[in-house]
Amino acid sequence: MTVAAAIAGLSAFSSVLTGLFSARAVTAETHLGVCEAEVSGAIAAIINQPQFRNARWGIRVETLGTSSTLPRLIYNQEGDRLFVPASNVKLLTTAAALDRLGADFRIRTSVYASNTDPNRAELRLVGRGDPSLSDDDLADLARQVSDRGIRQVASLDIDDRYFRSDAINPNWEWEDVQAGYGAPATSLILNRNEIRVVAYPGRVGQPVRIEWLDDIDDSQWQIVNQTTTVASGGGFTWVGRDLSRPILYVYGQRTIGAPPDVSAISIPNPSAYGLRQFRSALEKAGIRVLPGAIADRATPALTSPTLPSIFDSEVASVLSPQLSNLLVDTNQSSENVYAEALLRQVGVVGANPIPASPLRAGLDATKDALAILGLDPNSYVLVDGAGLARQNLISPATFVELLQIMAQHPDAAVYRRSLAEAGISGTLRNRFRNTAVAGRFLGKTGGLTGIASLSGYLTPLQFEPLVVSIIVSHSNQSGSTRRNAIDAIVGQLSQLRRC
């Protein structure tokens, strides 16, 4: 295809989308809409555009079942075929966590002491996979330690074996695991196990200036800066890190006068980072950490999920928010480390001894939980909790079935509240604005290179509630083009009326 032809095609497609979004914005008083018999044609007009000739679409739409009414099929386009679902996987992860752990479940982070001598205390920080843990929580722990009368610490270490292995999913790609969105799911997850750096333009011809946005010791990192500030024509910086050492690599250009560019990278050694931050919190609380207090030494075998065997005194603790709140971060904000931590919690909580592979245990326990709820375990392939892995496979029909099941779950309201709301919250806050879909669709977004997905609950103005799952793959169009097409389909469904 020539450039001119491609531009013409994109222009035509843009016109179609503009028309569809305009139709969605029409008020109910005009009584415009789409009859059920017209749905196939309306969707075909979107997915059969030339721009998507190489794409593969999976779509399933059903009416929402109730305790007395069975779901009714409205539309199906390869809905039973397997697709790579991207972050829609979080719908399974959070459903299993909610069912197994309960909406009120909270995760405890503790400080234990084997010696509480005020001047020779021996402390250990014990993480249990709280993905929301922050520096403020460490400050709270340090204040509690101080309130116990401890003034000096002779030994300080960390027990990070609640999630004993598999912090990084082996199915994730190398560019994912160095980015902030691919941070490892460790026992101690501090500040989402990511740190952020800011690239500021310098003088023309000089490197871009790199600064840490978070509270971090610059001396711990080596920065390899291969950037240039240019007078015009620049605009991107790429930030990555060594996979095992604290070395930051920065490449690209930044135009003089351009706004700062913020990037997040995953922490290569979360335990060392957490221990360093906790030491800082103790010192800020007026507790002196004696020279040599932090040393490399083997941690005794962890036999209980609640208390290391050699420590019999908990001197401080903090609790995560309730699971109902953690689900909001997982689904609305699509926080990968939250999803991975919850997957492992499902596998670890209640297990004794703690599983050698919390990832494997979490995957198995998630499938078991969903099977008990009625989801066929043979209808999907699950290898992570967040959806970064391309080895995940699931059909739109399975997503619809899951959403139907969760609509009848005792904690259905909690599950629905965890989803993003069209035009209002989470990853949908900037989609469907000023349309008939705004405030009437709750769902989960997803996206990888060549892939976009959207599944959730839709309440049309003139039709019964719907359950929708749409996945497009093998698309060489931009992510925004894929999302716009999906949104146009949802827009048409929102116009359904009885006729």
Side-chain angles (χ1 to χ4, degrees), residues 4-20:
I7 293 174
L10 286 172
S11 177
F13 183 56
S14 177
S15 298
V16 170
L17 291 180
T18 299
L20 290 172

Side-chain angles (χ1 to χ4, degrees), residues 18 33 57 80 142 153 155 225 232 299 323 385 407 411 441:
T18 299
W57 289 87
D80 297 319
V153 176
S155 174
N225 190 342
S232 62
T299 303
L323 178 66
D411 284 320
F441 180 82

Side-chain angles (χ1 to χ4, degrees), residues 45-325:
I46 300 168
I47 66 176
N48 291 334
Q49 290 291 313
Q51 289 78 11
F52 294 112
R53 66 182 178 275
N54 295 321
R56 181 179 165 220
W57 289 87
I59 306 171
R60 179 84 173 187
V61 183
E62 295 177 359
T63 59
L64 178 63
T66 67
S67 58
S68 59
T69 307
L70 292 176
R72 182 166 55 85
L73 180 64
I74 298 295
Y75 180 82
N76 186 67
Q77 163 71 29
E78 292 200 335
D80 297 319
R81 300 284 297 276
L82 296 177
F83 288 78
V84 178
S87 280
N88 272 207
V89 158
K90 294 182 177 73
L91 291 171
L92 283 79
T93 307
T94 53
L98 181 59
D99 184 70
R100 279 288 174 96
L101 305 175
D104 297 332
F105 174 77
R106 302 176 81 174
I107 305 167
R108 191 180 191 92
T109 302
S110 305
V111 178
Y112 289 97
S114 61
N115 179 1
T116 55
D117 182 332
N119 295 312
R120 299 290 302 176
E122 297 178 2
L123 304 181
R124 175 170 294 172
L125 178 63
V126 179
R128 299 187 183 90
D130 175 6
S132 69
L133 194 73
S134 68
D135 285 326
D136 288 341
D137 292 313
L138 294 190
D140 188 355
L141 290 171
R143 284 191 294 270
Q144 293 179 52
V145 171
S146 177
D147 290 343
R148 295 292 293 263
I150 294 174
R151 294 295 172 260
Q152 293 190 136
V153 176
S155 174
L156 179 63
D157 64 6
I158 186 170
D159 192 324
D160 61 354
R161 292 160 305 120
Y162 190 65
F163 295 161
R164 297 175 68 177
S165 62
D166 305 318
I168 298 174
N169 193 293
N171 295 288
W172 289 4
E173 298 181 4
W174 72 271
E175 63 265 30
D176 294 328
V177 301
Q178 63 182 313
Y181 64 81
T186 50
S187 300
L188 189 80
I189 302 171
L190 179 63
N191 301 326
R192 297 188 301 277
N193 274 352
E194 68 173 27
I195 50 178
R196 290 168 290 173
V197 294
V198 188
Y200 297 91
R203 296 180 179 178
V204 174
Q206 297 298 310
V208 171
R209 178 166 53 92
I210 305 298
E211 291 186 3
W212 299 104
L213 186 62
D214 307 291
D215 182 15
I216 187 170
D217 185 359
D218 287 353
S219 66
Q220 299 293 321
W221 284 81
Q222 174 187 348
I223 299 179
V224 179
N225 190 342
Q226 300 291 330
T227 62
T228 305
T229 303
V230 295
S232 62
F236 87 94
T237 49
W238 180 88
V239 178
R241 68 160 177 82
D242 189 278
L243 294 182
S244 59
R245 298 171 298 168
I247 302 177
L248 193 71
Y249 301 98
V250 190
Y251 301 95
Q253 296 178 334
R254 202 80 187 137
T255 305
I256 191 168
D261 184 27
V262 181
S263 300
I265 61 171
S266 62
I267 296 172
N269 191 335
S271 295
Y273 170 70
L275 197 56
R276 186 170 66 249
Q277 294 297 95
F278 186 46
R279 174 178 182 166
S280 176
L282 289 170
E283 291 173 341
K284 289 177 181 178
I287 300 171
R288 184 187 179 204
V289 179
L290 297 175
I294 300 177
D296 293 332
R297 61 190 179 97
T299 303
L302 186 64
T303 58
S304 165
T306 57
L307 184 66
S309 58
I310 69 167
F311 287 96
D312 56 6
S313 177
E314 184 185 57
V315 295
S317 67
V318 292
L319 292 174
S320 73
Q322 292 180 326
L323 178 66
S324 56
N325 293 322

